Amino acid sequence: SLSATTRHGLNRGLETLLQVLDALLSAELEGRRRQGRFPGWHWAPGVKVWGQRSRSGDQTLTEPLKLHVRDQPRYPWRGVMVDTARHFIPVPALERVLSVMAANKLNVLHWHLVDAASFPLHLNSLPHLARLGAFSANKTYSRADVKHVVSFASKLSIRVVPEIDVPAHTASWIFGEPDVVSNCTHVLPASADDAANPFKRMDKLALDISNGRTLEVVKLVMQEVTELFPDEFLHMGGDEIDFRCWTTVPHIADWLQLNDLTPTQALQEFFDEVFAEAKRLR
């Protein structure tokens, strides 16, 4: 018998049952493999298998064992992250990832959707971002694709948390919305190896916080992403901001001075707006 207090617990219990059945099958095969050898002990959940020699020949014997499993997760957040901005993953491959996650009782897919390398997410309000910012036309996710992945995951008791990285890592936005990105290509990473790496150089580009259009675009992206992903969490990045992308670009530096803001204060004001919008949407 199998009992649980939620459908998620029931799904996890079914996985445990499948693991037991798989072990039983493995034990049976092991017992057959060991025929002709003596002794041949093998244990699996719910069964004991051994080889026995008799006058009629070697035999494989099984003895049912009583098995009671009482299980609960040690950690509520058991996640895997996939980065489809740098390495596009087709939907069927994402399904396989989710199926393997379910088999291992993992329950959070952190879907890193958008980064400097590409903008693969199709948005009705800003279709040009994916059309011009994706690796290619066939390396994008439609709204139907996203809804399918979220539904597929939900049936496996897996939540999907999207990540849209801002304000750094936004080079892919510049093709569709050139005015909202600080094109600070003159800023090179400190490491010589990174400076010679075009992808690392691309990571430096950040949103232009001095342009009023920037927050408009960010909020439109957030609005559509929250429509597609019902999870309570929305990851908005915030990592690896190189303030030189603001302080060495004249019109942004002038804006900072005019508003008496340090780059850190400007970043805080930007995220205050982002968090307020996230709260409104949720």
Side-chain angles (χ1 to χ4, degrees):
S1 64
L2 177 63
S3 63
T5 57
T6 67
R7 75 173 181 90
H8 306 303
L10 187 63
N11 279 343
R12 306 296 177 230
L14 287 171
E15 286 297 340
T16 297
L17 180 60
L18 287 172
Q19 289 169 356
V20 170
L21 292 174
D22 181 66
L24 291 175
L25 177 60
S26 298
E28 168 103 12
L29 294 175
E30 178 69 7
R32 291 179 184 177
R33 187 183 69 81
R34 287 177 178 271
Q35 285 187 356
R37 302 182 185 182
F38 188 87
W41 288 90
H42 183 84
W43 181 88
V47 73
K48 184 166 61 179
V49 180
W50 68 93
Q52 176 173 294
R53 179 171 296 167
S54 67
R55 292 182 180 178
S56 59
D58 293 338
Q59 297 178 355
T60 299
L61 304 178
T62 62
E63 176 185 338
L65 301 176
K66 289 184 179 179
L67 181 67
H68 178 78
V69 178
R70 183 182 180 89
D71 195 16
Q72 65 183 32
R74 179 176 296 181
Y75 304 105
W77 188 287
R78 305 180 302 282
V80 167
M81 187 187 83
V82 292
D83 183 347
T84 59
R86 294 183 177 89
H87 311 278
F88 183 81
I89 302 176
V91 170
L94 287 174
E95 290 177 351
R96 292 194 293 273
V97 170
L98 289 164
S99 295
V100 172
M101 287 178 63
N104 290 277
K105 301 178 184 175
L106 302 179
N107 69 340
V108 182
L109 178 70
H110 177 163
W111 191 354
H112 190 106
L113 263 169
V114 174
D115 206 280
S118 77
F119 196 113
L121 178 62
H122 177 80
L123 301 173
N124 285 344
S125 58
L126 299 161
H128 45 287
L129 286 177
R131 187 176 71 248
L132 300 174
F135 286 131
S136 65
N138 64 344
K139 288 188 169 127
T140 61
Y141 300 106
S142 67
R143 290 175 62 90
D145 289 334
V146 171
K147 289 180 179 180
H148 171 77
V149 170
V150 170
S151 175
F152 188 93
S154 178
K155 290 172 184 176
L156 297 173
S157 295
I158 296 172
R159 54 198 291 191
V160 183
V161 176
E163 179 179 352
I164 309 294
D165 206 349
V166 295
H169 296 266
T170 50
S172 62
W173 301 45
I174 201 169
F175 305 105
E177 288 281 347
D179 293 338
V180 308
V181 179
S182 172
N183 193 9
C184 53
T185 52
H186 60 282
V187 174
L188 297 177
S191 163
D193 289 339
D194 287 350
N197 185 325
F199 294 102
K200 287 291 186 180
R201 293 202 305 270
M202 189 188 305
D203 276 347
K204 292 295 178 185
L205 272 65
L207 293 178
D208 182 348
I209 54 168
S210 72
N211 190 333
R213 171 67 177 167
T214 300
L215 269 174
E216 291 178 14
V217 170
V218 170
K219 289 179 180 181
L220 285 172
V221 171
M222 292 176 66
Q223 288 165 18
E224 246 182 282
V225 168
T226 53
E227 289 173 12
L228 293 168
F229 294 89
D231 196 85
E232 63 180 307
F233 285 99
L234 170 62
H235 198 310
M236 295 301 294
D239 62 313
E240 299 181 328
I241 300 162
D242 192 325
F243 288 140
R244 292 177 298 169
C245 268
W246 295 342
T247 58
T248 65
V249 175
H251 75 273
I252 301 178
D254 290 346
W255 178 86
L256 289 170
Q257 185 175 11
L258 179 65
N259 289 276
D260 195 24
L261 292 172
T262 65
T264 302
Q265 291 170 330
L267 178 64
Q268 183 64 59
E269 287 200 358
F270 171 81
F271 271 112
D272 285 345
E273 290 280 350
V274 168
F275 293 150
E277 181 66 7
K279 185 176 181 179
R280 184 186 73 81
L281 293 169
R282 289 302 191 213

